[in-house]
Amino acid sequence: MKSIYDLTLEQLKEELKALGQKPFRAKQIYEWIYVKNVYDFHQMTNLSKELQETLSNHFSDALLTIKEKQVARDGTTKYLLELEDGGLIETVLMIQTYGRSLCVTSQLGCNMGCSFCASGLLKKQRNLTSGEIVKQVLTVMNDLKERVTHVVVMGTGEPFDNYDEVMNFIYTVNEPHGLAIGARHLTISTCGLIPGIERFSHEPIQVNLAISLHAPNDEIRNELMPINKRYNMDDLRDAIKTYIERTNRRVTLEYILLKDVNDDIKYARQLAHYLRGLNVYVNLIPYNPVDEHGYKQSLGHTITAFKDELIRLHINCTLRKEHGRDIDGACGQLRAKREKGA
């Protein structure tokens, strides 16, 4: 049975027409779900009993099941959620100064194989539907009884390897008659799938783009991120440049600092040289260690020196505040432990 959450407002209008219903009912249904937080068709009281039954017979309205929840001292909350087919995914809520930011997952497992990342501990089984991504937001909001203000598609999986479903999700949560999360409060993070970046540059919506770079040169990036052997850093830079020219949008570059791997000050200089002339900023990220990988977090003075050198070389950069260090903070850790029976 199709999930009601798989449908954008326009798609729902078409589905209702096909069922012999008035298309304007779609706005009413959207308001119940996304504004009034009512997820049961039978509680949508301005719909006729007949329409309630029709919806129940044709669409699923179930949210996801919360299997486990970890709450850190800083308020970061990691959810282990169960899909209808029994698959387990993670969603992470971070309390920021600007609001409540939710990091959602786009695939069940991941095939990108980044050597430092917990998400790839379990290989991709399938793509998530747009509705399964939407339901991560709604399930957390239903648990919190509060609104999520920002969403990043940065959890397990590569969003541009599931492009159509991720974009359907984006248009659903951005819908003014629904959750109405502003485009500039939405971010998609890719490890560097150039065809996806190219396609995304033509989307008529001002969603933020983040790219996981994590290295200053091809040698190190090849070691950390197998995708670099397919789309190297020169090609990636060209894609970023084209994206910026086409959209007039600044791009965020994510850079996880790994002790004695990519955190030497000479690599800050290489990175600055690589980024010269691009409208980007670098988000430096302290590493959340993953037992299976053996990488360690850079020392505090090394992180500070790396950041200061980038700033000296006129590269905009920020240091991400650590979230959830006292729980299974890295994407995929909680799910991997549950799947392995730890």
Side-chain angles (χ1 to χ4, degrees):
M1 184 183 289
K2 186 178 291 186
S3 169
I4 195 73
Y5 311 109
D6 277 322
L7 302 172
T8 64
L9 182 59
E10 292 306 312
Q11 290 166 348
L12 181 54
K13 287 178 182 177
E14 292 303 314
E15 291 277 345
L16 290 175
K17 273 200 277 189
L19 292 170
Q21 300 291 333
K22 297 279 196 301
F24 79 87
R25 296 291 184 193
K27 278 188 184 177
Q28 294 178 315
I29 296 164
Y30 247 63
E31 185 175 318
W32 278 111
I33 293 171
Y34 296 109
V35 181
K36 297 179 179 176
N37 309 317
V38 171
Y39 311 113
D40 181 346
F41 296 131
H42 293 100
Q43 292 179 21
M44 299 179 183
T45 52
N46 63 348
L47 305 183
S48 68
K49 295 289 186 188
E50 177 201 358
L51 178 53
Q52 291 174 10
E53 282 304 314
T54 298
L55 292 172
S56 294
N57 290 335
H58 286 87
F59 303 108
S60 163
D61 57 13
L63 296 183
L64 302 176
T65 303
I66 299 172
K67 297 296 287 183
E68 191 172 337
K69 188 165 89 167
Q70 296 181 341
V71 182
R73 286 186 292 271
D74 62 9
T76 300
T77 305
K78 172 162 277 200
Y79 291 86
L80 185 69
L81 304 174
E82 185 176 42
L83 305 169
E84 284 190 32
D85 65 1
L88 297 174
I89 59 171
E90 288 180 20
T91 300
V92 182
L93 177 76
M94 292 161 286
I95 309 301
Q96 311 278 16
T97 54
Y98 52 77
R100 287 173 290 278
S101 180
L102 192 68
C103 179
V104 298
T105 283
S106 59
Q107 295 179 313
L108 186 58
C110 183
N111 279 346
M112 294 299 111
C114 299
S115 65
F116 53 84
C117 182
S119 294
L121 292 173
L122 299 165
K123 293 305 176 191
K124 174 184 161 186
Q125 293 168 253
R126 65 174 177 85
N127 288 328
L128 297 190
T129 67
S130 63
E132 287 173 325
I133 311 174
V134 169
K135 285 195 283 187
Q136 292 172 57
V137 179
L138 297 181
T139 300
V140 170
M141 284 176 53
N142 190 48
D143 182 59
L144 280 180
K145 307 304 180 203
E146 288 189 274
R147 180 179 162 79
V148 166
T149 60
H150 296 68
V151 176
V152 290
V153 189
M154 202 181 283
T156 300
E158 164 52 52
F160 285 164
D161 189 37
N162 186 18
Y163 189 93
D164 291 332
E165 296 296 325
V166 166
M167 289 313 303
N168 220 53
F169 160 76
I170 291 291
Y171 286 112
T172 299
V173 296
N174 177 245
E175 168 58 50
H177 295 286
L179 282 179
I181 299 175
R184 296 186 181 192
H185 291 180
L186 299 169
T187 301
I188 296 177
S189 176
T190 176
C191 68
L193 264 64
I194 289 176
I197 296 170
E198 159 68 21
R199 196 173 165 193
F200 188 59
S201 71
H202 293 284
E203 294 286 346
I205 187 170
Q206 296 278 287
V207 172
N208 301 307
L209 175 65
I211 295 173
S212 297
L213 191 65
H214 306 317
N217 58 52
D218 280 322
E219 183 182 1
I220 293 175
R221 200 163 192 265
N222 284 340
E223 177 189 332
L224 297 178
M225 304 179 71
I227 192 68
N228 198 65
K229 294 168 185 171
R230 186 171 173 190
Y231 303 114
N232 67 33
M233 288 184 66
D234 283 344
D235 291 340
L236 182 58
R237 190 186 191 283
D238 289 343
I240 294 169
K241 184 171 184 288
T242 300
Y243 175 87
I244 293 168
E245 289 170 350
R246 191 171 286 154
T247 64
N248 200 29
R249 299 280 292 152
R250 185 171 70 167
V251 172
T252 302
L253 296 172
E254 311 280 358
Y255 195 105
I256 287 178
L257 288 156
L258 302 168
K259 186 174 184 291
D260 300 329
V261 176
N262 65 353
D263 62 349
D264 192 281
I265 201 161
K266 70 182 179 186
Y267 295 139
R269 294 172 189 140
Q270 286 182 24
L271 181 62
H273 178 73
Y274 175 75
L275 299 177
R276 185 84 64 228
L278 293 178
N279 182 20
V280 299
Y281 84 93
V282 176
N283 189 14
L284 297 173
I285 306 171
Y287 182 57
N288 259 329
V290 178
D291 293 343
E292 289 84 351
H293 294 322
Y295 292 108
K296 291 184 169 57
Q297 186 179 100
S298 296
L299 300 174
H301 67 84
T302 305
I303 293 174
T304 300
F306 197 98
K307 179 186 175 188
D308 289 348
E309 186 67 4
L310 287 179
I311 292 170
R312 186 184 75 79
L313 295 168
H314 308 293
I315 300 298
N316 290 319
C317 74
T318 55
L319 178 63
R320 182 188 289 178
K321 178 185 171 188
E322 289 191 77
H323 292 278
R325 187 70 193 271
D326 53 316
I327 58 175
D328 294 310
C331 288
Q333 281 187 317
L334 179 55
R335 174 177 175 250
K337 284 184 178 180
R338 174 63 75 96
E339 294 279 11
K340 292 176 180 179

